[in-house]
Amino acid sequence: MHRVAISSTGLFVPPEVITNEELVHSFNCFAELENSRYAAEIAAGNRQAVPLSSVEFIEKASGIKRRYVMEKSGILDPHRMYPRHAPRDDNELSLMAEIGVAAARDALQRAGKQAQDVDGVICAAANMQRAYPAMAVEIQAALGITGYGFDMNVACSSATFALEMAVNAIRCGSARAVLIVDPELTSSHLAWKDRDCHFIFGDVCTAILVERLDLAPAGAFEVLGTRLLTSFSNNIRNNAGFMSRSEDRDPRDRDQLFYQEGRKVFKEVCPMAAEHITEHLASHGLTPTEVRRFWLHQANLGMNQLIGRKLLGRDASADDAPVILDEFGNTASAGSIIAFHRHHDDVKAGEVGVICSFGAGYSIGSAVLRRL
């Protein structure tokens, strides 16, 4: 059995930014148009008026101040309220593969590795651009990697679940190195017309190079262990899929996009995540207070603050558990990886950190790491 390390991570940041101010202006224009259109029904009590949004509401509810997206004009058009992406020919690199390749190349360059050093690619994301061919195989081909590739989806826990798959493949000797790629085009499945969630998501792509410890560069992080947990819940859901056509569904139906019972998620997931991390650390003879840094899923500032408090018995500082969602928004499975990517350089040799993500399913994935 081989020891395993995270050798590097990569990050692709989309070209466009939407501030809360821009988003609120667009949403409120949409709300006023809708309320004017259905004024008679609203006055008769047969329809609810669309409530207005505000910067204060967004920042209090989430801690998010801005988000990156691949295309903003369609999102900010009050007559449209979703991105404009041009279709590509089957012989062109797809959009999800394009951003995946960019993040993967960044990870390879940071580790000083080439395509021939990698044996497998896992594309792990909350939504896939298509059912098949697998996005991972397209990314693999574009990078010139021989071996295998496959897609997997465990919503916001996709990256950490993929991490366990990669670690196990390397530990048992079926691969020397596996590249995990997390292309999150979340702007395309967000309900931008829903005040309760129109501010949540942003686009991004991360990559993680996982390889045998003896092949890893100096300063890599050994993976001491990974742990996964799922518990079924409908509180975060998206019903869009290939069956929708056969059910004669309208693609504009609300449940064909992301929706959630936010208060229930907050109440139920926070204690689950804290307990999961504590038990995972205990299996390695560690306690939360011995952890140098927690790289947590970036969904909601309040959730991270509560989890940090449960773990440490006090408020977690930005040094204990860095926050990147104010800049990126919720980026689904990529959030905890961005936090690690941006905030690991100052972790010293021998110190321990934890990557943890949580989301729909419910699903929770964690990795305990030690700096080499």
Side-chain angles (χ1 to χ4, degrees), residues 54-65:
S54 71
V55 170
E56 294 75 19
F57 163 70
I58 292 172
E59 294 185 5
K60 182 178 179 180
S62 67
I64 297 168
K65 297 182 179 179

Side-chain angles (χ1 to χ4, degrees), residues 34-343:
E34 286 290 287
N35 292 339
S36 175
R37 179 183 179 187
Y38 296 104
E41 293 178 41
I42 293 169
N46 298 323
R47 189 184 186 95
Q48 292 288 332
V50 178
L52 299 182
S53 188
S54 71
V55 170
E56 294 75 19
F57 163 70
I58 292 172
E59 294 185 5
K60 182 178 179 180
S62 67
I64 297 168
K65 297 182 179 179
R66 52 185 277 186
R67 70 285 297 145
Y68 296 98
V69 293
M70 294 300 293
E71 201 286 322
K72 66 188 283 187
S73 69
I75 295 168
L76 296 180
D77 181 349
H79 299 282
R80 179 180 174 91
M81 305 288 280
Y82 55 92
R84 290 187 178 94
H85 293 311
R88 298 186 179 188
D89 186 83
D90 286 353
N91 294 318
E92 293 181 86
L93 194 65
S94 64
L95 180 57
M96 184 171 275
E98 178 183 301
I99 67 174
V101 167
R105 284 178 173 154
D106 185 33
L108 290 171
Q109 187 273 328
R110 290 173 185 271
K113 299 297 173 118
Q114 305 295 324
Q116 57 265 31
D117 299 315
V118 180
D119 295 323
V121 175
I122 303 174
C123 182
N127 288 273
M128 293 298 164
Q129 184 169 338
R130 59 171 184 265
Y132 46 81
M135 300 306 308
V137 179
E138 184 178 9
I139 293 168
Q140 174 196 357
L143 291 169
I145 294 171
T146 57
Y148 64 89
F150 63 88
D151 294 348
M152 59 179 291
N153 176 352
V154 199
C156 290
S157 297
S158 295
T160 49
F161 274 59
L163 186 55
E164 172 154 299
M165 301 301 104
V167 167
N168 289 343
I170 295 162
R171 185 165 283 148
C172 73
S174 66
R176 297 165 302 162
V178 175
L179 195 56
I180 300 166
V181 185
D182 314 298
E184 294 290 6
L185 294 172
T186 59
S187 61
S188 294
H189 74 96
L190 178 58
W192 295 96
K193 296 180 179 180
D194 186 335
R195 176 183 178 268
D196 288 339
C197 70
H198 78 109
F199 52 86
I200 291 179
F201 287 112
D203 297 334
V204 80
C205 187
T206 55
I208 314 166
L209 179 62
V210 187
E211 61 183 338
R212 277 188 357 217
L213 184 66
D214 61 303
L215 301 175
F221 284 79
E222 181 176 7
V223 181
L224 300 182
T226 56
R227 178 173 290 205
L228 311 179
L229 174 71
T230 53
S231 176
F232 185 74
S233 170
N234 276 315
N235 288 331
I236 311 172
R237 195 171 177 111
N238 183 334
N239 286 332
F242 75 96
M243 292 291 293
S244 295
R245 184 184 69 158
S246 301
E247 296 167 350
D248 295 320
R249 297 295 306 275
D250 186 335
R252 295 169 295 184
D253 286 349
R254 180 64 188 86
D255 74 328
Q256 299 294 290
L257 297 169
F258 164 88
Y259 67 102
Q260 69 171 351
E261 296 285 344
R263 291 181 178 85
K264 290 181 179 179
V265 173
F266 189 101
K267 181 180 179 180
E268 295 170 3
V269 170
C270 290
M272 286 176 61
E275 181 181 14
H276 176 91
I277 293 170
T278 301
E279 291 179 352
H280 191 185
L281 287 167
S283 71
H284 294 281
L286 297 165
T287 65
T289 56
E290 295 176 278
V291 173
R292 173 66 180 86
R293 184 155 294 154
F294 295 93
W295 299 286
L296 299 177
H297 176 50
Q298 305 285 312
N300 178 286
L301 180 59
M303 291 183 74
N304 285 19
Q305 289 172 335
L306 180 55
I307 292 168
R309 200 173 301 124
K310 286 180 176 293
L311 288 169
L312 299 173
R314 58 171 174 80
D315 289 341
S317 67
D319 189 58
D320 296 320
V323 173
I324 55 87
L325 68 84
D326 56 336
E327 177 186 353
F328 286 86
N330 183 340
T331 50
S333 73
S336 59
I337 310 306
I338 301 171
F340 175 82
H341 180 82
R342 286 275 186 90
H343 298 281

